[in-house]
């Protein structure tokens, strides 16, 4: 294309949920620093509370979204349908060269589908993850997003293999894991700004950190009761801090479950989370991101689920399912990149667009 050398490619990035703000933190930085790229950020509104959304933009220096919607609640179909319509309008107006979606939420699915139907190349960050559990809404979202994507940016070799097993080999890259970039950047900021340990009067190495928010744990009161009982039993050994996801807060109230014995706090920003993680003796979680972050901070993790997408954390002894009797022998995990996945992703996108 004439003038391609000097051209700036416009990408629209779609975020909506907490883990996507955290992934946008290193990625948007790398895009801003790249002379051949410009980014238009769209926030669907899937997560909207100040401590689930605004705090991440503010603390992590993410530019305010160019287009912000207020789409949350309702059934999966209703939410995704409204997002599809809203995102399509943005894409028709912005005419981007590519659309970037992250992870596995309804915002990911809507962004990927809206772009693919308009013949705009879709870049899926965190492609190729599989739990092989189609009852998880996230699994449906990531499978569909992968199958309509043009560039599939995988965090691990296994993710590349998962895609190959589904016949997807074109446009597949393994630039590393943005969450590792985010962890490295946040650790530096947290050292300066985070105060949560002092605020909660916790001693480094003498408490555990827990999070619970997956539908499989929150939507079934009997399952939620089991999780709470498990955490309470752990709290008899050491303090357990539980930053409570709004979905879980509602589910606990609806199920009439109490959290006596746990240190329950509101969701925290990423810098406080980084400090809490760094000094924890153990992590208990059903979050995908947190299982890896526990490894990045070299804290052993217990996953409160029946399976995980991050199987290398299990095989290398840093993570176990709560039903497993113990950990595998501990080894370093040679995956997730070098902490510069974001820059590598920006280069992959520019190389693709320059050739297309
Ligand atoms: N997180 C946070 N504050 C909290 C709880 C979690 O910043 O109070 C971060 C956590 O460190 C991880 C991300 O949010 O990076 C995980 O998000 P979530 O559990 O909502 O989603 P998942 O990882 O399961 O996709």
């Amino acid at each position: 294309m004439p003038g391609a050398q000097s051209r700036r490619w416009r990408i629209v990035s779609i975020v909506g949920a907490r883990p996507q703000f955290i992934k946008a933190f290193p990625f948007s930085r790398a895009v801003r620093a790249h002379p051949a790229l410009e980014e238009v950020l769209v926030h669907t509104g899937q997560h909207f509370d100040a401590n689930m959304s605004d705090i991440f933009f503010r603390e992590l220096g993410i530019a305010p979204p160019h287009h912000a919607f207020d789409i949350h609640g309702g059934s999966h179909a209703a939410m995704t349908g409204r997002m599809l319509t809203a995102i399509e309008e943005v894409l028709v107006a912005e005419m981007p060269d590519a659309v970037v979606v992250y992870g596995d939420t309804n915002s990911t699915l809507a962004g990927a589908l809206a772009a693919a139907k308009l013949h705009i190349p879709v870049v899926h960050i965190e492609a190729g993850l599989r739990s092989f559990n189609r009852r998880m809404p996230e699994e449906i979202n990531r499978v569909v997003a992968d199958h309509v994507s043009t560039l599939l940016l995988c965090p691990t070799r296994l993710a590349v293999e998962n895609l190959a097993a589904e016949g997807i080999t074109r446009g597949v890259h393994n630039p590393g894991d943005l969450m590792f970039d985010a962890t490295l950047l946040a650790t530096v900021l947290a050292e300066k700004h985070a105060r949560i340990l002092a605020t909660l009067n916790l001693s480094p190495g003498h408490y555990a950190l827990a999070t619970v928010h997956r539908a499989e744990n929150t939507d079934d009161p009997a399952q939620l009761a089991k999780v709470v009982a498990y955490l309470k039993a752990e709290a008899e050994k050491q303090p357990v801090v539980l930053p409570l996801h709004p979905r879980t807060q509602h589910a606990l109230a609806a199920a009439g479950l109490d959290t006596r014995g746990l240190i329950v706090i509101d969701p925290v920003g990423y810098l406080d989370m980084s400090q809490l993680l760094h000094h924890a003796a153990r992590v208990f979680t059903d979050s995908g991101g947190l299982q890896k972050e526990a490894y990045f901070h070299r804290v052993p993790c217990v996953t409160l689920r029946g399976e995980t997408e991050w199987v290398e954390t299990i095989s290398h002894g840093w993570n176990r399912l709560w039903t497993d009797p113990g950990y595998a022998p501990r080894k370093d995990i040679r995956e997730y990149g070098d902490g510069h996945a974001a820059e590598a992703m920006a280069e992959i996108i520019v190389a693709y667009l320059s050739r297309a």
Side-chain angles (χ1 to χ4, degrees):
M1 171 184 297
Q5 303 299 308
S6 56
R7 165 159 193 186
R8 269 161 82 86
W9 307 98
R10 172 185 287 207
I11 58 172
V12 164
S13 308
I14 315 270
V15 295
R18 179 170 63 188
Q20 294 163 336
F21 312 139
I22 295 168
K23 287 169 195 132
F25 160 43
F27 182 72
S28 292
R29 239 170 135 255
V31 168
R32 275 204 302 269
H34 200 296
L37 288 174
E38 64 184 25
E39 183 182 40
V40 175
L41 191 63
V42 177
H43 187 334
T44 62
Q46 189 173 342
H47 284 169
F48 54 92
D49 294 315
N51 56 12
M52 294 291 289
S53 175
D54 299 359
I55 191 170
F56 294 91
F57 285 80
R58 200 176 59 245
E59 284 190 348
L60 305 179
I62 307 168
H66 299 81
H67 302 272
F69 298 100
D70 192 20
I71 305 173
H72 49 81
S75 69
H76 282 275
M79 191 199 298
T80 310
R82 288 165 65 208
M83 287 178 183
L84 266 171
T85 311
I87 293 170
E88 184 182 58
E89 277 173 23
V90 169
L91 298 184
V92 168
E94 294 285 354
M95 302 280 284
D97 298 292
V99 168
V100 171
V101 294
Y102 302 92
D104 55 20
T105 71
N106 289 343
S107 303
T108 315
L109 175 65
L113 272 183
K117 292 280 183 110
L118 291 170
H119 312 138
I120 302 168
V122 178
V123 181
H124 186 199
I125 291 181
E126 218 173 68
L129 290 191
R130 295 292 181 268
S131 65
F132 302 102
N133 175 0
R134 292 264 170 124
R135 291 184 60 81
M136 279 178 79
E138 294 89 347
E139 183 80 351
I140 307 292
N141 293 343
R142 54 171 91 104
V143 168
V144 176
D146 281 342
H147 281 260
V148 298
S149 289
T150 309
L151 286 180
L152 298 103
L153 307 185
C154 298
T156 62
R157 279 168 297 180
L158 181 63
V160 173
E161 287 167 23
N162 287 340
L163 292 176
E166 292 174 19
I168 305 174
T169 51
R170 282 183 61 177
V172 176
H173 300 263
N174 178 5
D177 188 346
L178 271 185
M179 294 300 296
F180 186 40
D181 297 24
T183 294
L184 296 180
L185 293 169
T187 304
V188 177
L189 291 175
E191 268 168 26
K192 270 201 219 138
H193 302 293
R195 300 279 173 274
I196 186 115
L197 240 58
T199 306
L200 296 177
N201 203 12
L202 293 167
S203 325
H206 294 281
Y207 65 91
L209 174 64
T211 73
V212 180
H213 79 291
R214 289 254 166 246
E216 69 199 62
N217 282 332
T218 58
D219 291 6
D220 170 7
Q223 176 70 10
L224 186 58
K226 265 197 220 165
V227 172
V228 171
Y230 184 88
L231 294 179
K232 283 182 173 178
E234 290 297 331
E236 285 175 13
K237 300 177 212 158
Q238 62 188 334
V240 174
V241 184
L242 176 65
L244 200 55
H245 193 286
R247 178 198 286 166
T248 318
Q249 192 180 352
H250 294 135
L252 286 167
L257 290 166
D258 74 75
T259 51
R260 267 195 299 274
L262 306 176
I263 305 172
V264 175
I265 57 174
D266 284 335
V268 294
Y270 199 51
L271 304 188
D272 278 346
M273 196 60 184
S274 174
Q275 186 175 64
L276 280 171
L277 263 165
H278 195 73
H279 298 286
R282 194 153 307 248
V283 167
F284 300 103
T285 190
D286 60 8
S287 150
L290 216 60
Q291 294 172 52
K292 262 177 312 155
E293 285 169 331
Y295 168 68
F296 298 151
H297 290 275
R298 300 298 191 268
V299 178
C301 180
V302 177
T303 291
L304 305 169
R305 287 175 52 195
E307 75 275 314
T308 176
E309 298 77 13
W310 304 102
V311 290
E312 62 284 341
T313 58
I314 303 252
S315 59
H316 287 63
W318 289 96
N319 189 7
R320 67 175 177 83
L321 304 181
W322 60 332
T323 45
D324 289 342
Y327 290 93
R330 197 157 286 167
K331 289 181 282 190
D332 274 355
I333 305 175
R334 307 220 173 277
E335 293 278 0
Y336 309 132
D338 59 1
H340 293 282
E343 288 81 359
M345 289 175 180
E347 287 304 338
I348 291 167
I349 295 169
V350 169
Y352 169 79
L353 291 174
S354 308
R355 276 197 313 269

